[in-house]
Amino acid sequence: MSCVIIADTDRSARNALTLLLTRKYAAEQISYADDVQSLTSEVQAGQNCIVLISDKLPGLAIPETCEQIRKFNPNASLAILSVDSLLEAQAVKCGAVFIRKGDSIQIIMDQLDKLLSDME
């Protein structure tokens, strides 16, 4: 698996995603971002990254941030993480997968599988 960037300030969400990504997907390179500035720095450093972005990330404006990430790393696969299902349309419009926090592990894995298949 290529690099993964988890942009979420919620430590429990980070830990759960890290556990899933390392056990199910054998991810070896996982980095974290606490705000949009650190996210863009991480994106610039990696190639073919999967970027998981919480809607609560400080400084986040979904369309602008997704556009900026794609400018720095056109091959990045993006996902927006949120409990608010209303953000799904906005995520899709930006070319990102929507992952609803709180969904079953199988649904989350299906969305991660979609991200991985988009990278191929």
Side-chain angles (χ1 to χ4, degrees):
M1 171 181 270
S2 55
C3 75
V4 177
I5 302 169
I6 302 173
D8 196 330
T9 57
D10 180 351
R11 295 271 183 228
S12 61
R14 279 184 179 188
N15 291 340
L17 286 168
T18 299
L19 184 64
L20 175 63
L21 291 165
T22 55
R23 292 207 175 162
K24 167 74 172 131
Y25 297 98
E28 295 175 8
Q29 183 183 352
I30 300 175
S31 55
Y32 306 96
D34 291 317
D35 55 31
V36 170
Q37 184 177 1
S38 61
L39 172 59
T40 54
S41 295
E42 287 293 330
V43 168
Q44 289 176 349
Q47 294 182 2
N48 289 345
C49 288
I50 294 173
V51 185
L52 308 173
I53 309 167
S54 169
D55 68 327
K56 302 295 184 202
L57 190 69
L60 179 69
I62 292 174
E64 291 83 3
T65 302
C66 291
E67 184 178 314
Q68 187 176 30
I69 290 169
R70 292 207 191 282
K71 183 192 291 183
F72 291 133
N73 190 333
N75 297 320
S77 291
L78 308 177
I80 304 298
L81 311 170
S82 180
V83 296
D84 184 357
S85 297
L86 297 175
L87 290 178
E88 184 171 5
Q90 192 174 10
V92 170
K93 185 176 179 182
C94 295
V97 170
F98 180 79
I99 297 177
R100 190 171 99 51
K101 288 183 173 181
D103 272 348
S104 72
I105 192 70
Q106 186 58 53
I107 292 173
I108 291 171
M109 288 184 345
D110 290 345
Q111 295 299 75
L112 291 171
D113 289 342
K114 181 177 179 184
L115 276 175
L116 289 170
S117 70
D118 287 347
M119 292 187 81
E120 295 174 351

